[in-house]
Amino acid sequence: MIAHLFLRGETTMDKMPLLALIFQSIPESILILALGLTLMGVEIKWQRIIPAAVISSLCSYFVRELPIPYGVHTLIGIIIISLLVIMFFKTPVPVAISVAMIGIVILITMEILIWPVIILLTGKTVPQIWQSQTLRILLAIPELILLALITFWCIRKKFTLRSPGIYRSTQTKDRGQD
C-alpha cells in the first residue's frame, strides 16, 4: 500500500487501527528485518528480531499520526530500522542501512506487484480498503505470504548479497566459511 499511494502522489497518511498494527504491521516488520538481515549475511536471531519489529511497528504507528507528507514516513522508517539493527544486532552503520533499504525496497516491490491485482479483483480503491479494518488486514495476507516465502527461502538457502569478509560484526557469527 505504501507504493500505491506514493506513486499516486497522496500526501496524507491514514490512521492505522490497533488490530492492523498487530496483525499487519508487526508481521510485515518481522519479515522486513528477517529478509534484510539474511540478505546482508547477518545471523537471524528471532529473539532479537521480534522486539525490534514491535518497536519499529510502534514507531511507524506514531509517525503515521504526524502531519507530514506521505513518503517522509518511509525515510523515517528506514532511519528507525537502521538504528534498531545497530542496537539489536550490533552491526556497522552501512550494514544496518543496507538491511533497512533492502527490506523496504523489497516490500515496496511486492506492493507494486500485488496491490494492482488486489484492487482489480476487489473493485475497491486503497482508501476504501484502508477504511475497512477487516479488508485492510485480510488483503495484506498475500503480500505477507509472499514476503515470508522469499524470506524463508533465502534463510534456508543461506542466500546473501554480501561479499565474503565484508561488513562483519563483532556480535554476528558467519554463516559457515564464506
Side-chain angles (χ1 to χ4, degrees):
M1 286 187 266
I2 292 170
H4 180 72
L5 290 178
F6 187 72
L7 293 174
R8 286 192 39 211
E10 298 281 339
T11 58
T12 57
M13 289 299 302
D14 76 305
K15 302 225 184 263
M16 180 183 287
L18 185 58
L19 286 177
L21 172 75
I22 295 166
F23 294 110
Q24 178 192 1
S25 184
I26 291 173
E28 185 176 271
S29 292
I30 289 168
L31 292 168
I32 288 170
L33 282 164
L35 184 55
L37 290 163
T38 296
L39 291 175
M40 286 308 298
V42 178
E43 183 181 9
I44 297 297
K45 293 184 178 182
W46 295 105
Q47 70 273 21
R48 293 183 184 176
I49 288 176
I50 293 170
V54 170
I55 293 168
S56 173
S57 293
L58 286 171
C59 289
S60 175
Y61 181 81
F62 291 113
V63 166
R64 286 173 174 265
E65 299 293 321
L66 298 175
I68 56 176
Y70 196 83
V72 174
H73 82 286
T74 303
L75 297 175
I76 294 169
I78 289 169
I79 293 167
I80 291 168
I81 292 168
S82 298
L83 291 172
L84 291 169
V85 170
I86 290 167
M87 289 171 40
F88 282 85
F89 293 91
K90 310 293 187 227
T91 64
V93 172
V95 173
I97 293 170
S98 296
V99 166
M101 293 291 294
I102 288 168
I104 295 295
V105 166
I106 291 173
L107 173 67
I108 290 171
T109 302
M110 291 295 103
E111 290 178 350
I112 288 171
L113 296 173
I114 291 172
W115 277 95
V117 175
I118 289 172
I119 290 166
L120 182 68
L121 292 174
T122 63
K124 297 191 178 295
T125 65
V126 171
Q128 288 171 328
I129 292 167
W130 275 5
Q131 288 173 2
S132 166
Q133 182 172 270
T134 304
L135 282 179
R136 180 183 189 131
I137 294 167
L138 290 177
L139 295 178
I141 292 173
E143 173 188 317
L144 292 172
I145 289 171
L146 189 53
L147 277 173
L149 290 173
I150 292 168
T151 301
F152 290 116
W153 181 86
C154 290
I155 291 169
R156 186 164 188 243
K157 298 294 182 180
K158 298 183 182 186
F159 183 80
T160 179
L161 299 176
R162 73 176 177 109
S163 298
I166 295 179
Y167 301 136
R168 296 267 161 88
S169 155
T170 57
Q171 296 276 323
T172 305
K173 295 179 183 174
D174 295 329
R175 293 183 171 184
Q177 294 293 333
D178 287 335

